[in-house]
Amino acid sequence: MKKLITTGLLFFTLVGCNTYQEVESDETTRTITTEQAGHLQINKTIKRPVLFRAADPLNAELLGVSPAGINSQLEHTDLVKEKLNGEFITPGDTDKVKKLNPDLIVTYAPDEYSSEYGEIAPTIEMRYITSAFSPYKKRIYLTHFYYLGVILNKEEEAKTIADDFLEKIPKLRRELNEQVTDKNAAVILEENNKYYLRPEFTSYGTEAVFDILGFKQPKYIKRILESDDSKVYVDEDYSSAELDYLFVATEDLDNKEKQAQLAKAFNIDDTKIIYIDMYNFRPNDLQSIEYQTKTIIDKLNNK
């Protein structure tokens, strides 16, 4: 694997100006800029990527690239099972990664195993942030779809698909029977019988709720998220959030006792608590976000 970092390149990479751009290519290879590796040489045609980030496998499929390896966290995700044939891999299982003979590995940052992956194939660590130079502004999920397009040598395809997705947003919003852009909502994730508030653009349905459908995240919730503790304590009073809807990402989709606890804590009618499957709402690739949006629309329209 060929790497080169220079002081100037590192500076521009950190501020996001030249990150994920092709700087040169020949018949078989390309050199791109990355955050962690500076200049990185990769194959011009990527055929067997191993993708550890939740957003990447289905985004790669949308760009016409089938991943050879997929993070095992997505093993119970319906769209992944339906559309992909790659092997599920637990992060750090380098023996299994080697057997897949990948030509590229893309993972999250920081990743304690990235140096080990780098001995197998060119490896890119990606922080889930946007950039002031991104054409998609605050929409981190679209920025990273575009970044993946650059990495896979599918930049023009990525631009076209992202633009088409932006055109879908008002159409999807109009499928709702009610106007919700003036309504307050929060998204919480249940893990190990504990609840955690989710910021905007952090998967588990947040893109569908706050961006595509246009619910507002109230300032009360934003203040909690800015603190060191995003945990929701069901014996506390969150009525100041003045929620119209509460979306709960969980694997326990029909627990009336928990529903009653949350309704009391947020001072909200239990019919306004919308349960969503945590496995299907975990990834925030474009296909999953559209699926999640349509699922929520169906739930709201049929309440």
mmCIF file with all atom_site columns, all heavy atoms in Angstrom, residues 25-30 42-45:
data_model
loop_
_atom_site.group_PDB
_atom_site.id
_atom_site.type_symbol
_atom_site.label_atom_id
_atom_site.label_alt_id
_atom_site.label_comp_id
_atom_site.label_asym_id
_atom_site.label_entity_id
_atom_site.label_seq_id
_atom_site.pdbx_PDB_ins_code
_atom_site.Cartn_x
_atom_site.Cartn_y
_atom_site.Cartn_z
_atom_site.occupancy
_atom_site.B_iso_or_equiv
_atom_site.pdbx_formal_charge
_atom_site.auth_seq_id
_atom_site.auth_comp_id
_atom_site.auth_asym_id
_atom_site.auth_atom_id
_atom_site.pdbx_PDB_model_num
ATOM 1  N N   . SER A 1 25 ? -4.159  9.689  -11.784 1.00 0.00 ? 25 SER A N   1
ATOM 2  C CA  . SER A 1 25 ? -4.566  8.319  -12.119 1.00 0.00 ? 25 SER A CA  1
ATOM 3  C C   . SER A 1 25 ? -3.804  7.849  -13.349 1.00 0.00 ? 25 SER A C   1
ATOM 4  O O   . SER A 1 25 ? -3.276  8.655  -14.122 1.00 0.00 ? 25 SER A O   1
ATOM 5  C CB  . SER A 1 25 ? -6.072  8.240  -12.379 1.00 0.00 ? 25 SER A CB  1
ATOM 6  O OG  . SER A 1 25 ? -6.421  8.957  -13.545 1.00 0.00 ? 25 SER A OG  1
ATOM 7  N N   . ASP A 1 26 ? -3.751  6.521  -13.495 1.00 0.00 ? 26 ASP A N   1
ATOM 8  C CA  . ASP A 1 26 ? -3.219  5.941  -14.720 1.00 0.00 ? 26 ASP A CA  1
ATOM 9  C C   . ASP A 1 26 ? -4.187  4.861  -15.170 1.00 0.00 ? 26 ASP A C   1
ATOM 10 O O   . ASP A 1 26 ? -5.350  4.860  -14.761 1.00 0.00 ? 26 ASP A O   1
ATOM 11 C CB  . ASP A 1 26 ? -1.791  5.413  -14.521 1.00 0.00 ? 26 ASP A CB  1
ATOM 12 C CG  . ASP A 1 26 ? -1.688  4.386  -13.396 1.00 0.00 ? 26 ASP A CG  1
ATOM 13 O OD1 . ASP A 1 26 ? -2.678  3.633  -13.194 1.00 0.00 ? 26 ASP A OD1 1
ATOM 14 O OD2 . ASP A 1 26 ? -0.644  4.322  -12.729 1.00 0.00 ? 26 ASP A OD2 1
ATOM 15 N N   . GLU A 1 27 ? -3.736  3.920  -15.946 1.00 0.00 ? 27 GLU A N   1
ATOM 16 C CA  . GLU A 1 27 ? -4.652  2.924  -16.496 1.00 0.00 ? 27 GLU A CA  1
ATOM 17 C C   . GLU A 1 27 ? -5.250  2.021  -15.433 1.00 0.00 ? 27 GLU A C   1
ATOM 18 O O   . GLU A 1 27 ? -6.373  1.533  -15.576 1.00 0.00 ? 27 GLU A O   1
ATOM 19 C CB  . GLU A 1 27 ? -3.933  2.072  -17.546 1.00 0.00 ? 27 GLU A CB  1
ATOM 20 C CG  . GLU A 1 27 ? -3.585  2.840  -18.815 1.00 0.00 ? 27 GLU A CG  1
ATOM 21 C CD  . GLU A 1 27 ? -2.963  1.939  -19.867 1.00 0.00 ? 27 GLU A CD  1
ATOM 22 O OE1 . GLU A 1 27 ? -2.795  0.728  -19.585 1.00 0.00 ? 27 GLU A OE1 1
ATOM 23 O OE2 . GLU A 1 27 ? -2.633  2.446  -20.953 1.00 0.00 ? 27 GLU A OE2 1
ATOM 24 N N   . THR A 1 28 ? -4.519  1.769  -14.359 1.00 0.00 ? 28 THR A N   1
ATOM 25 C CA  . THR A 1 28 ? -4.993  0.788  -13.378 1.00 0.00 ? 28 THR A CA  1
ATOM 26 C C   . THR A 1 28 ? -5.176  1.341  -11.965 1.00 0.00 ? 28 THR A C   1
ATOM 27 O O   . THR A 1 28 ? -5.868  0.729  -11.161 1.00 0.00 ? 28 THR A O   1
ATOM 28 C CB  . THR A 1 28 ? -4.021  -0.405 -13.302 1.00 0.00 ? 28 THR A CB  1
ATOM 29 O OG1 . THR A 1 28 ? -2.723  0.076  -12.921 1.00 0.00 ? 28 THR A OG1 1
ATOM 30 C CG2 . THR A 1 28 ? -3.942  -1.119 -14.644 1.00 0.00 ? 28 THR A CG2 1
ATOM 31 N N   . THR A 1 29 ? -4.561  2.472  -11.644 1.00 0.00 ? 29 THR A N   1
ATOM 32 C CA  . THR A 1 29 ? -4.621  2.980  -10.268 1.00 0.00 ? 29 THR A CA  1
ATOM 33 C C   . THR A 1 29 ? -5.017  4.455  -10.237 1.00 0.00 ? 29 THR A C   1
ATOM 34 O O   . THR A 1 29 ? -4.920  5.175  -11.236 1.00 0.00 ? 29 THR A O   1
ATOM 35 C CB  . THR A 1 29 ? -3.261  2.825  -9.552  1.00 0.00 ? 29 THR A CB  1
ATOM 36 O OG1 . THR A 1 29 ? -2.280  3.641  -10.217 1.00 0.00 ? 29 THR A OG1 1
ATOM 37 C CG2 . THR A 1 29 ? -2.825  1.373  -9.523  1.00 0.00 ? 29 THR A CG2 1
ATOM 38 N N   . ARG A 1 30 ? -5.459  4.867  -9.064  1.00 0.00 ? 30 ARG A N   1
ATOM 39 C CA  . ARG A 1 30 ? -5.795  6.264  -8.803  1.00 0.00 ? 30 ARG A CA  1
ATOM 40 C C   . ARG A 1 30 ? -5.148  6.659  -7.481  1.00 0.00 ? 30 ARG A C   1
ATOM 41 O O   . ARG A 1 30 ? -5.009  5.817  -6.587  1.00 0.00 ? 30 ARG A O   1
ATOM 42 C CB  . ARG A 1 30 ? -7.309  6.453  -8.671  1.00 0.00 ? 30 ARG A CB  1
ATOM 43 C CG  . ARG A 1 30 ? -8.119  6.012  -9.841  1.00 0.00 ? 30 ARG A CG  1
ATOM 44 C CD  . ARG A 1 30 ? -9.589  5.893  -9.473  1.00 0.00 ? 30 ARG A CD  1
ATOM 45 N NE  . ARG A 1 30 ? -10.175 7.159  -9.073  1.00 0.00 ? 30 ARG A NE  1
ATOM 46 C CZ  . ARG A 1 30 ? -10.885 7.333  -7.963  1.00 0.00 ? 30 ARG A CZ  1
ATOM 47 N NH1 . ARG A 1 30 ? -11.055 6.323  -7.109  1.00 0.00 ? 30 ARG A NH1 1
ATOM 48 N NH2 . ARG A 1 30 ? -11.409 8.493  -7.675  1.00 0.00 ? 30 ARG A NH2 1
ATOM 49 N N   . ILE A 1 42 ? -5.064  3.571  -4.791  1.00 0.00 ? 42 ILE A N   1
ATOM 50 C CA  . ILE A 1 42 ? -6.028  2.470  -4.807  1.00 0.00 ? 42 ILE A CA  1
ATOM 51 C C   . ILE A 1 42 ? -6.281  2.052  -6.253  1.00 0.00 ? 42 ILE A C   1
ATOM 52 O O   . ILE A 1 42 ? -5.910  2.771  -7.194  1.00 0.00 ? 42 ILE A O   1
ATOM 53 C CB  . ILE A 1 42 ? -7.370  2.857  -4.136  1.00 0.00 ? 42 ILE A CB  1
ATOM 54 C CG1 . ILE A 1 42 ? -7.989  4.071  -4.852  1.00 0.00 ? 42 ILE A CG1 1
ATOM 55 C CG2 . ILE A 1 42 ? -7.168  3.147  -2.666  1.00 0.00 ? 42 ILE A CG2 1
ATOM 56 C CD1 . ILE A 1 42 ? -9.337  4.485  -4.283  1.00 0.00 ? 42 ILE A CD1 1
ATOM 57 N N   . ASN A 1 43 ? -6.907  0.896  -6.413  1.00 0.00 ? 43 ASN A N   1
ATOM 58 C CA  . ASN A 1 43 ? -7.240  0.428  -7.755  1.00 0.00 ? 43 ASN A CA  1
ATOM 59 C C   . ASN A 1 43 ? -8.228  1.380  -8.423  1.00 0.00 ? 43 ASN A C   1
ATOM 60 O O   . ASN A 1 43 ? -9.104  1.956  -7.768  1.00 0.00 ? 43 ASN A O   1
ATOM 61 C CB  . ASN A 1 43 ? -7.854  -0.968 -7.710  1.00 0.00 ? 43 ASN A CB  1
ATOM 62 C CG  . ASN A 1 43 ? -6.841  -2.027 -7.357  1.00 0.00 ? 43 ASN A CG  1
ATOM 63 O OD1 . ASN A 1 43 ? -5.638  -1.803 -7.380  1.00 0.00 ? 43 ASN A OD1 1
ATOM 64 N ND2 . ASN A 1 43 ? -7.330  -3.211 -6.998  1.00 0.00 ? 43 ASN A ND2 1
ATOM 65 N N   . LYS A 1 44 ? -8.109  1.506  -9.725  1.00 0.00 ? 44 LYS A N   1
ATOM 66 C CA  . LYS A 1 44 ? -9.028  2.364  -10.462 1.00 0.00 ? 44 LYS A CA  1
ATOM 67 C C   . LYS A 1 44 ? -10.439 1.790  -10.444 1.00 0.00 ? 44 LYS A C   1
ATOM 68 O O   . LYS A 1 44 ? -11.426 2.530  -10.350 1.00 0.00 ? 44 LYS A O   1
ATOM 69 C CB  . LYS A 1 44 ? -8.540  2.529  -11.905 1.00 0.00 ? 44 LYS A CB  1
ATOM 70 C CG  . LYS A 1 44 ? -9.211  3.665  -12.649 1.00 0.00 ? 44 LYS A CG  1
ATOM 71 C CD  . LYS A 1 44 ? -8.426  4.053  -13.876 1.00 0.00 ? 44 LYS A CD  1
ATOM 72 C CE  . LYS A 1 44 ? -8.953  5.342  -14.480 1.00 0.00 ? 44 LYS A CE  1
ATOM 73 N NZ  . LYS A 1 44 ? -8.111  5.810  -15.604 1.00 0.00 ? 44 LYS A NZ  1
ATOM 74 N N   . THR A 1 45 ? -10.540 0.480  -10.528 1.00 0.00 ? 45 THR A N   1
ATOM 75 C CA  . THR A 1 45 ? -11.836 -0.197 -10.429 1.00 0.00 ? 45 THR A CA  1
ATOM 76 C C   . THR A 1 45 ? -11.849 -1.014 -9.151  1.00 0.00 ? 45 THR A C   1
ATOM 77 O O   . THR A 1 45 ? -11.043 -1.934 -8.980  1.00 0.00 ? 45 THR A O   1
ATOM 78 C CB  . THR A 1 45 ? -12.081 -1.116 -11.636 1.00 0.00 ? 45 THR A CB  1
ATOM 79 O OG1 . THR A 1 45 ? -12.054 -0.333 -12.843 1.00 0.00 ? 45 THR A OG1 1
ATOM 80 C CG2 . THR A 1 45 ? -13.443 -1.797 -11.514 1.00 0.00 ? 45 THR A CG2 1
#
